[in-house]
Amino acid sequence: MKIIHIFPVVKFGGAPIVVLNLIKEDQENIHIVVSKKEDEVLSKEFEIHSDKFYDIDTLNISVISMWKIIKVLNFEKPDIIHAHTSTQFTSWLAVKFSNKTNIPIVVDLHGIGWQEKKKLNPIAITKLIIKKIFYLVEKSTIINANMLVPTTELWNKKLHNDYNFEENKVFLNSLGVDLDIFNKNESIRKSKRNELLIKQDECVIIFFGFIRKPKRLDLVLDTLTRLPENYKLIIAGPIEKNVLNDTLILKLLNNLKNRIIVTGKVSQTELNQLLNAADIALWPANVSIGILQSSAIGLPSIYPDWAYNFSPISRETTIAELKIKLIINKINQLFSSPDYYDSESIKAIKCANTRSYAIKSNELIKLYKKIIYENKTYI
């Protein structure tokens, strides 16, 4: 079975990590990747583990980029296409190609975060128009795909409620975690905390991933200012430029420089070490695949209530609103009761164990085979 995976760019984030781990787990089938190289380390991983990697400027919505993508799809003649993330131009184009050639296509959909307040000004109106155009493109992608794979229960419900899709066209496949890399290890914890000069009585919060504005680094830093001096914060992962250029964030980073550790981009192995050194993972406004990685270590996660459907670790540690007071209350509850902390840690590990990449990859491969069989039968 030949599978083509198409997504816009290889960088630290959900879709590339999901595809890479699927390819690593499945050695029986042919996996071809079509994307734009950005992160050098991750791109090298794709070159090593995929059967072929086509480096195409998929972010460039032009006649040339469209032609290159179509040329690859025509040349490879895959048994099935998996377009990752329904909001992308690449997914829309792949669906158009699929409909024309009768090659089946799977499109996955990701979760939704906190809704921003609407503002009435020229820039906001322009953004609204662009958003409307992208909505129509996404709607076309969703309606014309052979199979939709929501990664969250929120999207699963949305597809049934908003689009009235039949059950056999939607397959819920939540994101997974690499349990070979991410696991609790006391020896690693001790070594890393010594390296980072973290004292035994210090409580460490970790905030990590590809840190974009919607993830609210400002809120995380503001929370730290209201906690005792023995609380430290690890910020791991690349930070978007507009976040680093924010005046408030720069001020908070400077004021808290003795209490924070900023690592920048890290490897998966390094991230596992940092997670073992931490005590709590904080996701105030948005979550990512990282919440499963921290759960595999046994870190209780404080995260939005809506995201419980994305990662049903524990309702006990979710927050209903974006309020610092609620976040601090949750932190205090966890650290004031060792029994409570341990029970939340056990819940986290149990959740991660049901989401291993081995399980998730096997589910997808079975789905691909089922769709190919049904498509041939229908023809």
Side-chain angles (χ1 to χ4, degrees):
M1 180 170 60
K2 184 190 283 188
I3 308 137
I4 282 189
H5 299 275
I6 183 167
F7 54 93
V9 61
V10 176
K11 64 180 181 181
F12 194 89
I17 299 297
V18 169
V19 177
L20 181 60
N21 281 283
L22 168 61
I23 292 170
K24 285 181 178 180
E25 289 290 340
D26 178 44
Q27 299 295 316
E28 294 181 9
N29 299 290
I30 299 169
H31 292 272
I32 298 167
V33 176
V34 179
S35 188
K36 175 180 169 61
K37 288 182 183 178
E38 184 173 294
D39 185 285
E40 289 182 16
V41 175
L42 209 54
S43 296
K44 190 67 179 175
E45 284 275 294
F46 272 104
E47 289 177 341
I48 292 169
H49 296 287
S50 63
D51 294 277
K52 281 186 185 179
F53 184 95
Y54 287 93
D55 182 16
I56 296 175
D57 189 0
T58 49
L59 290 172
N60 179 18
I61 305 175
S62 67
V63 173
I64 293 174
S65 62
M66 288 172 67
W67 176 76
K68 285 181 178 179
I69 294 168
I70 295 298
K71 186 179 179 182
V72 169
L73 294 173
N74 268 319
F75 175 74
E76 291 294 346
K77 294 181 175 57
D79 296 299
I80 193 165
I81 302 166
H82 191 153
H84 298 269
T85 310
S86 60
T87 55
Q88 301 298 328
F89 155 75
T90 47
S91 297
W92 174 83
L93 184 63
V95 167
K96 290 293 181 186
F97 175 84
S98 165
N99 293 163
K100 186 177 179 180
T101 58
N102 207 38
I103 294 172
I105 185 165
V106 173
V107 176
D108 61 36
L109 306 95
H110 289 271
I112 308 162
W114 296 101
Q115 299 300 311
E116 295 181 7
K117 292 180 180 179
K118 293 181 180 178
K119 298 175 183 177
L120 199 60
N121 57 57
I123 295 174
I125 292 170
T126 302
K127 285 183 177 179
L128 195 64
I129 293 169
I130 294 171
K131 191 175 181 181
K132 181 67 176 177
I133 292 169
F134 272 94
Y135 167 77
L136 293 173
V137 169
E138 183 181 23
K139 186 176 180 181
S140 171
T141 301
I142 289 172
I143 290 172
N144 292 298
N146 292 81
M147 178 66 71
L148 298 164
V149 182
T151 54
T152 71
E153 185 58 41
L154 281 174
W155 253 118
N156 192 32
K157 289 178 180 177
K158 186 178 175 67
L159 289 172
H160 292 302
N161 296 338
D162 295 3
Y163 295 96
N164 297 317
F165 281 123
E166 296 176 6
E167 290 288 338
N168 63 357
K169 195 179 177 180
V170 180
F171 179 78
L172 177 62
N173 189 56
S174 51
L175 298 177
V177 60
D178 191 339
L179 297 179
D180 291 330
I181 293 177
F182 296 98
N183 50 75
K184 189 174 183 176
N185 188 304
E186 286 299 326
S187 176
I188 290 175
R189 175 180 171 82
K190 185 178 179 180
S191 174
K192 197 65 180 177
R193 283 176 76 98
N194 286 338
E195 180 190 324
L196 297 173
L197 304 178
I198 298 169
K199 297 174 184 176
Q200 190 173 351
D201 67 336
E202 288 181 324
C203 306
V204 181
I205 299 166
I206 189 166
F207 177 69
F208 68 102
F210 180 52
I211 300 167
R212 298 176 293 107
K213 203 164 187 176
K215 292 190 176 180
R216 299 299 302 271
L217 174 59
D218 59 317
L219 207 65
V220 175
L221 292 170
D222 200 0
T223 299
L224 187 63
T225 65
R226 299 160 195 256
L227 290 167
E229 288 291 319
N230 68 320
Y231 280 78
K232 284 194 171 183
L233 172 68
I234 295 174
I235 304 170
I239 305 174
E240 211 168 43
K241 284 183 180 179
N242 68 337
V243 175
L244 276 177
N245 292 334
D246 185 281
T247 307
L248 175 61
I249 287 174
L250 285 172
K251 183 181 177 181
L252 288 167
L253 285 170
N254 184 58
N255 292 343
L256 295 164
K257 60 187 176 185
N258 295 325
R259 298 174 62 194
I260 59 175
I261 299 162
V262 182
T263 68
K265 185 169 61 177
V266 294
S267 69
Q268 299 285 279
T269 302
E270 290 168 328
L271 179 58
N272 179 58
Q273 294 170 358
L274 291 168
L275 290 170
N276 269 285
D279 300 296
I280 287 178
L282 179 56
W283 311 85
N286 211 329
V287 297
S288 72
I289 194 172
I291 198 168
L292 294 174
Q293 295 165 341
S294 58
S295 294
I297 311 298
L299 297 188
S301 292
I302 297 171
Y303 62 111
D305 186 67
W306 65 261
Y308 180 79
N309 290 314
F310 170 83
S311 190
I313 301 165
S314 172
R315 266 254 147 78
E316 297 293 320
T317 58
T318 62
I319 51 172
E321 297 177 81
L322 268 174
K323 290 183 178 179
I324 292 175
K325 184 180 178 180
L326 295 178
I327 296 170
I328 291 174
N329 285 344
K330 294 293 181 183
I331 292 172
N332 288 336
Q333 285 173 23
L334 285 163
F335 283 120
S336 63
S337 172
D339 289 341
Y340 176 54
Y341 180 95
D342 289 344
S343 69
E344 292 304 313
S345 178
I346 291 168
K347 287 179 188 176
I349 292 172
K350 282 183 177 179
C351 178
N353 285 342
T354 64
R355 302 283 193 91
S356 73
Y357 275 126
I359 294 172
K360 293 298 164 186
S361 298
N362 187 48
E363 288 175 355
L364 274 179
I365 295 301
K366 284 182 178 178
L367 179 67
Y368 294 156
K369 289 178 178 178
K370 177 176 177 288
I371 293 167
I372 291 169
Y373 174 77
E374 289 177 351
N375 192 59
K376 286 180 179 177
T377 304
Y378 178 76
I379 294 168

